[in-house]
């Protein structure tokens, strides 16, 4: 399934805890017969130093799938209303990571 994921929260995946804002695109990889083989996710992750305002946000995630009945514009509008945008507006990411993983 071709999908989009927007998520944020405080995590310590590979070091000290940071606030992570992650934009992910999931692709369906098919075999030579056109059948599903696996998925690949491409992440763009912005990591911020811990800040009380960011920690107070808790965590959030929302998926959008292109072949579902959802509307992309409606999904994007809902994400624009997330409080994370105000919380990070004056902050600069400590790190930006772009990577892909098979799932």
């Amino acid at each position: 399934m071709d999908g989009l994921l927007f998520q944020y929260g405080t995590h310590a995946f590979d070091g000290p805890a940071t606030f992570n804002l992650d934009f992910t695109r999931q692709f369906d990889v098919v075999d030579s017969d056109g059948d599903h083989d696996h998925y690949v996710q491409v992440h763009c992750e912005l990591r911020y130093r811990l800040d009380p305002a960011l920690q107070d946000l808790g965590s959030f995630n929302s998926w959008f799938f292109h072949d579902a009945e959802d509307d992309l514009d409606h999904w994007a509008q809902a994400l624009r209303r997330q409080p994370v945008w105000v919380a990070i507006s004056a902050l600069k990411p400590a790190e930006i990571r772009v990577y892909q993983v098979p799932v």
Side-chain angles (χ1 to χ4, degrees), residues 9-34:
T10 301
H11 306 285
F13 293 128
D14 56 4
T18 57
F19 182 83
N20 301 325
L21 179 65
D22 184 10
F23 304 92
T24 302
R25 177 78 185 262
Q26 178 173 282
F27 297 93
D28 185 19
V29 178
V30 297
D31 61 20
S32 59
D33 295 326

Side-chain angles (χ1 to χ4, degrees), residues 43-88:
H43 294 259
C44 177
E45 182 180 87
L46 288 75
R47 292 184 175 187
Y48 296 85
R49 287 183 177 76
L50 289 186
D51 177 277
L54 296 177
Q55 288 182 288
D56 289 347
L57 292 173
S59 62
F60 174 83
N61 71 71
S62 178
W63 277 99
F64 172 84
F65 291 100
H66 292 281
D67 59 351
E69 296 296 321
D70 296 333
D71 178 71
L72 181 58
D73 290 332
H74 182 270
W75 181 75
Q77 287 293 334
L79 295 182
R80 287 185 188 109
R81 293 189 294 271
Q82 286 296 314
V84 68
W85 305 117
V86 173
I88 66 168

